[in-house]
Amino acid sequence: MKTAPEEAAAKRPAKKAVAKKSASEKTTATPKKPAPAKPAPAKPAAKKATARKTASGGRPASVEAAKDAAVTVKGVAPAKTIAVKPARNESRTALVRRARRINRELAEVYPYAHPELDFENPFQLIVATVLSAQTTDLRVNQTTPALFARYPTPEDLAAANPEEVEEILRPTGFFRAKTKSVIGLSKALVEQFGGEVPGRLEDLVKLPGVGRKTAFVVLGNAFGRPGLTVDTHFQRLVRRWQWSDETDPDKIEAAVGALFPKSEWTMLSHYVIFHGRRICHARKPACGACPIAPLCPAYGEGETDPEKAKKLLKYEKGGFPGQRLKPPQAYLDAGGKPAPPLGAR
């Protein structure tokens, strides 16, 4: 028989065990209680913020706004909203598709696109293209009628008095250097090619004053052989559209040429240059009047208000004369106007 102290001692551990059991039950029961609801929006919001940060790459807010919403352009049918990424994040397949869609859109906007130098034969075109350096096609077109009236063939220009040629070419700027180039070019044509403009790239680039850009203008428009004309407008738009981040014309030519079938190169050049001269200007691009705004990563760099942008349009898009004194009929049918001759007001 246990004494009273022994019974008391035996009861104490039992109480402690009961207490432990109770605590254990509480611990086990706790997870069964419904946990407080976590704020659902927190996770998606973080993802959205991350996505925007990745897409922006430090670009202006206006550019990001253009990517998140459809761009409405007055007078242009609504286009699909396309999520345009910087070239460094865009897959090769996506880049090719976007570039080719831009080309198709421009073909619809400028079905009358053409070389904006007046010419009647390959000799006139190659001379006019050499003269177009550091001046406008308009100024060249206003100057060449007098030049070709006096020196209609390579033989005539090769034998010309340089001082007389300089006087004719003065309006184009850098007239002394240009006189030397066109006379040297004419002599080379007479001495090496029998007075005919060659139809091969490797022959053209050997002529004085003729680089790849000039050669492709001649090949594409005088001989029907595809080529890309990488002038200042072409380079600017290619970088804005993120088709390439190259700055060297030869590398741009290679990069862009790889995005399109060779058969499209010549007309692609015309479309891009037409767009650069009329809407996508160097200093004040008319973004609000641009028909390919939904496809352009640089949307927002220029005026986005449609009415203000409309005032920035040039040539036939703004109701003004073009650059050719003798433009193609298709251009005139589309509302284009011939350029005035030199000295006209």
Side-chain angles (χ1 to χ4, degrees), residues 93-254:
T93 301
L95 172 60
V96 170
R97 287 175 178 170
R98 182 168 62 85
R100 293 185 180 186
R101 182 171 175 186
I102 287 176
N103 185 36
R104 292 194 299 271
E105 296 283 345
L106 293 179
E108 291 182 12
V109 176
Y110 308 106
Y112 47 79
H114 58 273
E116 294 192 272
L117 289 169
D118 283 325
F119 70 98
E120 296 176 359
N121 54 57
F123 172 63
Q124 290 187 1
L125 179 57
I126 196 170
V127 170
T129 308
V130 170
L131 295 177
S132 68
Q134 304 299 317
T135 191
T136 63
D137 287 357
L138 170 61
R139 183 61 72 191
V140 173
N141 292 335
Q142 291 174 328
T143 304
T144 50
L147 179 71
F148 295 138
R150 188 157 185 176
Y151 310 106
T153 68
E155 290 82 0
D156 295 323
L157 192 51
N161 181 331
E163 291 182 359
E164 293 177 359
V165 176
E166 286 178 3
E167 196 57 36
I168 295 174
L169 300 184
R170 186 180 292 273
T172 66
F174 302 98
F175 57 91
R176 290 190 179 88
K178 290 180 180 180
T179 294
K180 186 177 179 181
S181 290
V182 297
I183 290 179
L185 165 66
S186 300
K187 287 180 178 178
L189 291 176
V190 172
E191 295 169 4
Q192 299 173 33
F193 300 100
E196 299 292 330
V197 176
R200 300 194 311 165
L201 176 64
E202 53 268 38
D203 293 330
L204 287 168
V205 294
K206 293 176 183 177
L207 298 170
V210 178
R212 289 180 69 86
K213 184 193 82 170
T214 298
F216 281 129
V217 169
V218 175
L219 288 173
N221 299 288
F223 294 98
R225 295 175 184 171
L228 289 172
T229 304
V230 185
D231 70 351
T232 54
H233 301 288
F234 194 94
Q235 293 180 48
R236 180 177 71 254
L237 270 61
V238 161
R239 286 194 289 271
R240 279 182 177 166
W241 295 336
Q242 296 180 10
W243 288 1
S244 172
D245 58 2
E246 298 289 351
T247 55
D248 178 74
D250 292 350
K251 291 181 179 179
I252 291 174
E253 178 195 319

Side-chain angles (χ1 to χ4, degrees), residues 27-47:
T27 307
T28 309
T30 303
K32 292 181 182 178
K33 292 181 181 179
K38 293 181 181 179
K43 212 168 186 179
K47 284 184 180 177

Side-chain angles (χ1 to χ4, degrees), residues 4 11 50 65 151 195 204 307:
K11 285 179 183 179
T50 306
Y151 310 106
L204 287 168
E307 291 303 320

